[in-house]
Structures are given as C-alpha cells and as structure tokens.
Amino acid sequence: MSETPEILLPEDKPLEIAGRVYQSRLLVGTGKYRDLMETGHAIEASGAEIVTVAVRRTNLGQNPDEPNLLDVISPETYTILPNTAGCYTAKDAVRTCRLARELLDGHDLVKLEVLGEEKTLYPNMTETLDAAETLIKDGFKVMVYCSDDPLLAKRLEDMGCVAIMPLGAPIGSGLGIQNRYNIRLIVENSNVPVLVDAGVGTASDATIAMELGCDGVLMNTAIAQAKDPIKMANAMRLAIEAGREAYLAGRMPKKLYASASSPIDGTFF
C-alpha cells in the first residue's frame, strides 16, 4: 500500500513591513489623476492601506495656498509612504527623505528611488545603494525601488532595507512583468517583503506578480490612466487577492502533451 506523498504548499503569512501588519497587498500611488477627488475615490476602491506620494511633486503642506493631498488621504487611515520620484542622485534622494520627515512629523518609512535617465526611468543602482546606506544610518526604514537583479536585491536586504521593490518593466510602460525568472529568484532569496514596483498595466499583470510569490504590488499609472480609474482600482484589488490565493494553492505542473481531465476507467471503448 503506497502512501500519498506530502504536498508542500507555500506558507501563508501576513504582509508585514517595518513591524506593521497590513491586510491589503496592493500599494498605490497618487499621481496622474484628474483631480484629488478622483484620487481619493480610486484609492478607496483599491482597498490599499499604503499610499505613496512623490514629495517633490505633491503638496503635503509645504505650499499652504494649494490643495493638500492629505485632505483626501488621511494619515490616520493610510500609511503615507513618501517617495523620492524625480531624484537622479543619492544626494537629492536623501535630501527629499529628510524633507518628508519634517513635513510628516518624524515619519521614517520611505520609498527610495534614484533614477538613471529620463527615457527609461530605470533605477541607478550605484546611487541607490549609496542613498540606502545613508538613509538607514540616519534612522529611516527604507523600501527600495531597484532593478530585477537578484544579487543587488540581496545586497539591499543585507544593508537593512525593509522591503525590496524590483521593477516589472519601466515605470509607466504598462508592459507587465518582463523577467518572471528574476522576480522569482528575488522572492526565493529574500527574507523581507518583495513587492513588484512599476510596469503593471492591467489586472492580469498584478495577478502574475502575486502568483510568482511576491508579497505585494505597487502601482500608479495602471489605475490613474485607465478610462475608469475607480473600476480599475477595484479590478486590481481583486487581481491581487486572486493571485495570492493561486500562489498559496499551488498551480498544476505544465505539460507538453494533453492529459484527459476525466477518468477513463470503466468506459466501454
């Protein structure tokens, strides 16, 4: 009598970043919406609990006479994640994070991104490593946008980054995840949350990221530039949940040839 082999499934664990547990694995940005009201409605539909804001492009109170984003996304409801979008040097990124800490009363969780050039907005990893080292020494908790290089991702984790955020494709491209194998390697090697950041274009892209075992996905343009941002935000929420469930369930093996889905024992022919 043969014993049924034990089926090993991925461990289900909550998304925990910098000591705080989140129910939603979808993180969203705040740029490119038609107005602040649409921004607020879309974020609510997404179910996101972490909302990232570009400090250099968003009014968080530094311009008292302009609309303040915090009026539609209250820090009491959401974790505000200041980011360094638009920074091309480590020096600018560090300065931006320090400005955010002043504006947000000592808030120390930041998303670091240091860009290489305007055409691709690909991360400049040399400057990113320098900035991450400085920020961590300065007491920041750093979530870091990076290339999909497994070795560099591990190095950032070893430095003390609290989350690794490899790009799926260039920012705003909507191309979906271009290198699933590297993302999978980063996930397997990481002891901190891995969140795909950039490149997601539609709901199926988000699902693929989750099926690869990522802990979450951060997106902005895919929702903000949809014809109906609020409906797309809801679609992304469902896609993230479906992808996570599929990852935990364990997909069937891929096969080259067909395999009948119905038993053939007892049939006449």
Side-chain angles (χ1 to χ4, degrees):
M1 181 177 178
S2 62
E3 296 182 356
T4 304
E6 182 181 3
I7 299 175
L8 297 177
L9 294 175
E11 178 187 3
D12 189 15
K13 55 184 180 180
L15 173 61
E16 181 175 344
I17 298 175
R20 181 169 175 179
V21 174
Y22 296 93
Q23 303 303 314
S24 174
R25 295 177 182 274
L26 173 58
L27 291 69
V28 295
T30 54
K32 300 182 179 179
Y33 288 96
R34 282 193 289 267
D35 52 46
L36 288 183
M37 183 171 293
E38 183 180 73
T39 307
H41 288 320
I43 292 172
E44 184 178 2
S46 75
E49 297 170 279
I50 301 177
V51 179
T52 187
V53 296
V55 178
R56 292 159 62 98
R57 299 169 180 164
T58 306
N59 182 29
L60 298 177
Q62 66 269 42
N63 302 315
D65 298 329
E66 298 179 5
N68 188 335
L69 180 67
L70 299 184
D71 290 338
V72 295
I73 52 167
S74 168
E76 296 179 359
T77 304
Y78 299 99
T79 294
I80 305 300
L81 180 63
N83 69 58
T84 60
C87 293
Y88 289 85
T89 66
K91 184 178 180 181
D92 282 350
V94 170
R95 184 189 303 121
T96 300
C97 288
R98 288 171 175 164
L99 171 62
R101 184 160 61 183
E102 290 181 17
L103 292 171
L104 297 172
D105 299 325
H107 183 89
D108 58 6
L109 181 66
V110 295
K111 180 198 162 195
L112 170 64
E113 58 180 77
V114 186
L115 306 175
E117 42 89 23
E118 292 186 2
K119 183 176 181 179
T120 64
L121 299 180
Y122 203 75
N124 182 327
M125 291 309 301
T126 303
E127 294 290 306
T128 297
L129 289 163
D130 287 346
E133 184 175 27
T134 300
L135 289 170
I136 292 168
K137 287 180 179 177
D138 202 14
F140 284 95
K141 298 167 183 171
V142 179
M143 301 173 67
V144 57
Y145 168 66
C146 59
S147 63
D148 58 5
D149 183 325
L151 298 182
L152 287 176
K154 193 63 180 175
R155 184 173 171 188
L156 288 164
E157 177 186 338
D158 292 342
M159 289 172 62
C161 291
V162 298
I164 306 300
M165 308 179 75
L167 80 171
I171 293 173
S173 67
L175 290 172
I177 298 177
Q178 295 299 293
N179 195 335
R180 302 181 188 186
Y181 301 100
N182 274 22
I183 296 294
R184 181 69 184 178
L185 286 172
I186 291 172
V187 169
E188 288 185 0
N189 293 333
S190 181
N191 295 308
V192 296
V194 175
L195 304 100
V196 162
D197 180 8
V200 168
T202 189
S204 56
D205 298 332
T207 301
I208 288 171
M210 298 306 296
E211 289 177 348
L212 290 171
C214 292
D215 296 279
V217 179
L218 189 151
M219 64 182 74
N220 184 173
T221 307
I223 296 176
Q225 297 292 286
K227 291 179 181 178
D228 186 334
I230 297 170
K231 185 171 290 186
M232 182 61 83
N234 186 56
M236 291 298 187
R237 177 179 63 80
L238 297 172
I240 293 286
E241 293 173 359
R244 178 66 179 176
E245 286 293 305
Y247 168 69
L248 294 173
R251 66 155 294 146
M252 62 165 283
K254 292 184 178 180
K255 301 174 183 176
L256 181 60
Y257 299 107
S259 176
S261 57
S262 300
I264 59 174
D265 293 344
T267 57
F268 290 107
F269 304 102

PDB file of all heavy atoms in Angstrom, residues 219-240:
ATOM      1  N   MET A 219       1.475  50.160  -7.638  1.00  0.00           N
ATOM      2  CA  MET A 219       1.162  50.684  -8.973  1.00  0.00           C
ATOM      3  C   MET A 219       0.540  52.064  -8.863  1.00  0.00           C
ATOM      4  O   MET A 219      -0.001  52.450  -7.827  1.00  0.00           O
ATOM      5  CB  MET A 219       0.204  49.746  -9.690  1.00  0.00           C
ATOM      6  CG  MET A 219      -1.153  49.631  -9.025  1.00  0.00           C
ATOM      7  SD  MET A 219      -2.255  48.472  -9.838  1.00  0.00           S
ATOM      8  CE  MET A 219      -1.544  46.902  -9.349  1.00  0.00           C
ATOM      9  N   ASN A 220       0.634  52.792  -9.965  1.00  0.00           N
ATOM     10  CA  ASN A 220       0.014  54.115 -10.043  1.00  0.00           C
ATOM     11  C   ASN A 220      -0.663  54.309 -11.400  1.00  0.00           C
ATOM     12  O   ASN A 220      -1.876  54.376 -11.528  1.00  0.00           O
ATOM     13  CB  ASN A 220       1.063  55.193  -9.789  1.00  0.00           C
ATOM     14  CG  ASN A 220       0.476  56.598  -9.752  1.00  0.00           C
ATOM     15  OD1 ASN A 220       1.183  57.543  -9.429  1.00  0.00           O
ATOM     16  ND2 ASN A 220      -0.795  56.796 -10.044  1.00  0.00           N
ATOM     17  N   THR A 221       0.163  54.350 -12.459  1.00  0.00           N
ATOM     18  CA  THR A 221      -0.349  54.692 -13.781  1.00  0.00           C
ATOM     19  C   THR A 221      -1.438  53.739 -14.254  1.00  0.00           C
ATOM     20  O   THR A 221      -2.406  54.170 -14.891  1.00  0.00           O
ATOM     21  CB  THR A 221       0.810  54.699 -14.801  1.00  0.00           C
ATOM     22  OG1 THR A 221       1.859  55.533 -14.317  1.00  0.00           O
ATOM     23  CG2 THR A 221       0.347  55.233 -16.142  1.00  0.00           C
ATOM     24  N   ALA A 222      -1.300  52.457 -13.963  1.00  0.00           N
ATOM     25  CA  ALA A 222      -2.276  51.474 -14.441  1.00  0.00           C
ATOM     26  C   ALA A 222      -3.681  51.808 -13.952  1.00  0.00           C
ATOM     27  O   ALA A 222      -4.677  51.545 -14.646  1.00  0.00           O
ATOM     28  CB  ALA A 222      -1.881  50.076 -13.984  1.00  0.00           C
ATOM     29  N   ILE A 223      -3.780  52.387 -12.773  1.00  0.00           N
ATOM     30  CA  ILE A 223      -5.085  52.789 -12.252  1.00  0.00           C
ATOM     31  C   ILE A 223      -5.433  54.204 -12.714  1.00  0.00           C
ATOM     32  O   ILE A 223      -6.506  54.443 -13.278  1.00  0.00           O
ATOM     33  CB  ILE A 223      -5.100  52.707 -10.711  1.00  0.00           C
ATOM     34  CG1 ILE A 223      -4.915  51.256 -10.253  1.00  0.00           C
ATOM     35  CG2 ILE A 223      -6.398  53.275 -10.151  1.00  0.00           C
ATOM     36  CD1 ILE A 223      -4.821  51.079  -8.748  1.00  0.00           C
ATOM     37  N   ALA A 224      -4.517  55.126 -12.498  1.00  0.00           N
ATOM     38  CA  ALA A 224      -4.814  56.543 -12.773  1.00  0.00           C
ATOM     39  C   ALA A 224      -5.104  56.820 -14.237  1.00  0.00           C
ATOM     40  O   ALA A 224      -5.897  57.700 -14.570  1.00  0.00           O
ATOM     41  CB  ALA A 224      -3.651  57.413 -12.289  1.00  0.00           C
ATOM     42  N   GLN A 225      -4.455  56.095 -15.150  1.00  0.00           N
ATOM     43  CA  GLN A 225      -4.619  56.344 -16.576  1.00  0.00           C
ATOM     44  C   GLN A 225      -5.621  55.396 -17.232  1.00  0.00           C
ATOM     45  O   GLN A 225      -5.796  55.416 -18.460  1.00  0.00           O
ATOM     46  CB  GLN A 225      -3.268  56.228 -17.283  1.00  0.00           C
ATOM     47  CG  GLN A 225      -2.254  57.264 -16.812  1.00  0.00           C
ATOM     48  CD  GLN A 225      -2.643  58.677 -17.234  1.00  0.00           C
ATOM     49  OE1 GLN A 225      -2.520  59.045 -18.395  1.00  0.00           O
ATOM     50  NE2 GLN A 225      -3.121  59.488 -16.291  1.00  0.00           N
ATOM     51  N   ALA A 226      -6.295  54.572 -16.461  1.00  0.00           N
ATOM     52  CA  ALA A 226      -7.370  53.741 -17.014  1.00  0.00           C
ATOM     53  C   ALA A 226      -8.539  54.652 -17.414  1.00  0.00           C
ATOM     54  O   ALA A 226      -8.688  55.753 -16.886  1.00  0.00           O
ATOM     55  CB  ALA A 226      -7.827  52.716 -15.973  1.00  0.00           C
ATOM     56  N   LYS A 227      -9.378  54.186 -18.331  1.00  0.00           N
ATOM     57  CA  LYS A 227     -10.524  55.001 -18.723  1.00  0.00           C
ATOM     58  C   LYS A 227     -11.468  55.215 -17.540  1.00  0.00           C
ATOM     59  O   LYS A 227     -12.119  56.246 -17.439  1.00  0.00           O
ATOM     60  CB  LYS A 227     -11.251  54.327 -19.885  1.00  0.00           C
ATOM     61  CG  LYS A 227     -10.428  54.337 -21.174  1.00  0.00           C
ATOM     62  CD  LYS A 227     -11.168  53.641 -22.307  1.00  0.00           C
ATOM     63  CE  LYS A 227     -10.306  53.659 -23.571  1.00  0.00           C
ATOM     64  NZ  LYS A 227     -10.960  52.948 -24.695  1.00  0.00           N
ATOM     65  N   ASP A 228     -11.556  54.212 -16.669  1.00  0.00           N
ATOM     66  CA  ASP A 228     -12.343  54.338 -15.442  1.00  0.00           C
ATOM     67  C   ASP A 228     -11.440  53.944 -14.272  1.00  0.00           C
ATOM     68  O   ASP A 228     -11.363  52.767 -13.900  1.00  0.00           O
ATOM     69  CB  ASP A 228     -13.567  53.421 -15.496  1.00  0.00           C
ATOM     70  CG  ASP A 228     -14.502  53.625 -14.308  1.00  0.00           C
ATOM     71  OD1 ASP A 228     -14.019  54.065 -13.249  1.00  0.00           O
ATOM     72  OD2 ASP A 228     -15.703  53.331 -14.446  1.00  0.00           O
ATOM     73  N   PRO A 229     -10.731  54.910 -13.703  1.00  0.00           N
ATOM     74  CA  PRO A 229      -9.766  54.585 -12.647  1.00  0.00           C
ATOM     75  C   PRO A 229     -10.369  53.880 -11.444  1.00  0.00           C
ATOM     76  O   PRO A 229      -9.728  53.006 -10.849  1.00  0.00           O
ATOM     77  CB  PRO A 229      -9.204  55.966 -12.261  1.00  0.00           C
ATOM     78  CG  PRO A 229      -9.396  56.807 -13.464  1.00  0.00           C
ATOM     79  CD  PRO A 229     -10.702  56.345 -14.052  1.00  0.00           C
ATOM     80  N   ILE A 230     -11.583  54.235 -11.090  1.00  0.00           N
ATOM     81  CA  ILE A 230     -12.175  53.632  -9.894  1.00  0.00           C
ATOM     82  C   ILE A 230     -12.497  52.158 -10.141  1.00  0.00           C
ATOM     83  O   ILE A 230     -12.244  51.291  -9.300  1.00  0.00           O
ATOM     84  CB  ILE A 230     -13.426  54.435  -9.477  1.00  0.00           C
ATOM     85  CG1 ILE A 230     -13.000  55.867  -9.115  1.00  0.00           C
ATOM     86  CG2 ILE A 230     -14.140  53.762  -8.309  1.00  0.00           C
ATOM     87  CD1 ILE A 230     -14.144  56.817  -8.923  1.00  0.00           C
ATOM     88  N   LYS A 231     -13.029  51.868 -11.324  1.00  0.00           N
ATOM     89  CA  LYS A 231     -13.318  50.469 -11.652  1.00  0.00           C
ATOM     90  C   LYS A 231     -12.017  49.668 -11.771  1.00  0.00           C
ATOM     91  O   LYS A 231     -11.942  48.509 -11.324  1.00  0.00           O
ATOM     92  CB  LYS A 231     -14.116  50.400 -12.958  1.00  0.00           C
ATOM     93  CG  LYS A 231     -14.565  48.987 -13.333  1.00  0.00           C
ATOM     94  CD  LYS A 231     -15.526  48.983 -14.513  1.00  0.00           C
ATOM     95  CE  LYS A 231     -16.875  49.567 -14.099  1.00  0.00           C
ATOM     96  NZ  LYS A 231     -17.879  49.439 -15.188  1.00  0.00           N
ATOM     97  N   MET A 232     -10.993  50.265 -12.356  1.00  0.00           N
ATOM     98  CA  MET A 232      -9.711  49.560 -12.469  1.00  0.00           C
ATOM     99  C   MET A 232      -9.082  49.333 -11.091  1.00  0.00           C
ATOM    100  O   MET A 232      -8.468  48.282 -10.841  1.00  0.00           O
ATOM    101  CB  MET A 232      -8.745  50.348 -13.356  1.00  0.00           C
ATOM    102  CG  MET A 232      -7.401  49.656 -13.561  1.00  0.00           C
ATOM    103  SD  MET A 232      -7.538  48.033 -14.368  1.00  0.00           S
ATOM    104  CE  MET A 232      -7.637  48.537 -16.103  1.00  0.00           C
ATOM    105  N   ALA A 233      -9.255  50.282 -10.200  1.00  0.00           N
ATOM    106  CA  ALA A 233      -8.722  50.103  -8.839  1.00  0.00           C
ATOM    107  C   ALA A 233      -9.358  48.889  -8.176  1.00  0.00           C
ATOM    108  O   ALA A 233      -8.679  48.095  -7.505  1.00  0.00           O
ATOM    109  CB  ALA A 233      -8.980  51.361  -8.014  1.00  0.00           C
ATOM    110  N   ASN A 234     -10.654  48.740  -8.356  1.00  0.00           N
ATOM    111  CA  ASN A 234     -11.333  47.578  -7.786  1.00  0.00           C
ATOM    112  C   ASN A 234     -10.852  46.285  -8.459  1.00  0.00           C
ATOM    113  O   ASN A 234     -10.655  45.260  -7.804  1.00  0.00           O
ATOM    114  CB  ASN A 234     -12.845  47.729  -7.962  1.00  0.00           C
ATOM    115  CG  ASN A 234     -13.613  46.627  -7.267  1.00  0.00           C
ATOM    116  OD1 ASN A 234     -13.471  46.415  -6.070  1.00  0.00           O
ATOM    117  ND2 ASN A 234     -14.412  45.886  -8.028  1.00  0.00           N
ATOM    118  N   ALA A 235     -10.655  46.338  -9.784  1.00  0.00           N
ATOM    119  CA  ALA A 235     -10.145  45.169 -10.511  1.00  0.00           C
ATOM    120  C   ALA A 235      -8.759  44.771  -9.993  1.00  0.00           C
ATOM    121  O   ALA A 235      -8.457  43.573  -9.836  1.00  0.00           O
ATOM    122  CB  ALA A 235     -10.083  45.465 -12.005  1.00  0.00           C
ATOM    123  N   MET A 236      -7.923  45.745  -9.732  1.00  0.00           N
ATOM    124  CA  MET A 236      -6.588  45.447  -9.216  1.00  0.00           C
ATOM    125  C   MET A 236      -6.656  44.816  -7.832  1.00  0.00           C
ATOM    126  O   MET A 236      -5.882  43.908  -7.507  1.00  0.00           O
ATOM    127  CB  MET A 236      -5.746  46.725  -9.181  1.00  0.00           C
ATOM    128  CG  MET A 236      -5.381  47.267 -10.551  1.00  0.00           C
ATOM    129  SD  MET A 236      -4.364  46.089 -11.493  1.00  0.00           S
ATOM    130  CE  MET A 236      -3.939  47.115 -12.918  1.00  0.00           C
ATOM    131  N   ARG A 237      -7.567  45.286  -7.021  1.00  0.00           N
ATOM    132  CA  ARG A 237      -7.736  44.693  -5.681  1.00  0.00           C
ATOM    133  C   ARG A 237      -8.080  43.212  -5.802  1.00  0.00           C
ATOM    134  O   ARG A 237      -7.474  42.359  -5.132  1.00  0.00           O
ATOM    135  CB  ARG A 237      -8.851  45.432  -4.933  1.00  0.00           C
ATOM    136  CG  ARG A 237      -9.166  44.849  -3.557  1.00  0.00           C
ATOM    137  CD  ARG A 237     -10.270  45.644  -2.858  1.00  0.00           C
ATOM    138  NE  ARG A 237     -11.539  45.586  -3.569  1.00  0.00           N
ATOM    139  CZ  ARG A 237     -12.402  44.573  -3.508  1.00  0.00           C
ATOM    140  NH1 ARG A 237     -12.108  43.507  -2.758  1.00  0.00           N
ATOM    141  NH2 ARG A 237     -13.535  44.605  -4.174  1.00  0.00           N
ATOM    142  N   LEU A 238      -9.025  42.903  -6.685  1.00  0.00           N
ATOM    143  CA  LEU A 238      -9.437  41.513  -6.873  1.00  0.00           C
ATOM    144  C   LEU A 238      -8.305  40.681  -7.477  1.00  0.00           C
ATOM    145  O   LEU A 238      -8.123  39.505  -7.132  1.00  0.00           O
ATOM    146  CB  LEU A 238     -10.677  41.464  -7.768  1.00  0.00           C
ATOM    147  CG  LEU A 238     -11.934  42.146  -7.202  1.00  0.00           C
ATOM    148  CD1 LEU A 238     -13.030  42.196  -8.255  1.00  0.00           C
ATOM    149  CD2 LEU A 238     -12.423  41.423  -5.952  1.00  0.00           C
ATOM    150  N   ALA A 239      -7.555  41.274  -8.394  1.00  0.00           N
ATOM    151  CA  ALA A 239      -6.451  40.561  -9.045  1.00  0.00           C
ATOM    152  C   ALA A 239      -5.360  40.184  -8.042  1.00  0.00           C
ATOM    153  O   ALA A 239      -4.806  39.076  -8.089  1.00  0.00           O
ATOM    154  CB  ALA A 239      -5.862  41.425 -10.156  1.00  0.00           C
ATOM    155  N   ILE A 240      -5.069  41.093  -7.150  1.00  0.00           N
ATOM    156  CA  ILE A 240      -4.060  40.820  -6.116  1.00  0.00           C
ATOM    157  C   ILE A 240      -4.528  39.667  -5.229  1.00  0.00           C
ATOM    158  O   ILE A 240      -3.763  38.744  -4.906  1.00  0.00           O
ATOM    159  CB  ILE A 240      -3.821  42.082  -5.270  1.00  0.00           C
ATOM    160  CG1 ILE A 240      -3.167  43.186  -6.112  1.00  0.00           C
ATOM    161  CG2 ILE A 240      -2.987  41.758  -4.029  1.00  0.00           C
ATOM    162  CD1 ILE A 240      -1.730  42.993  -6.428  1.00  0.00           C
TER     163      ILE A 240
END
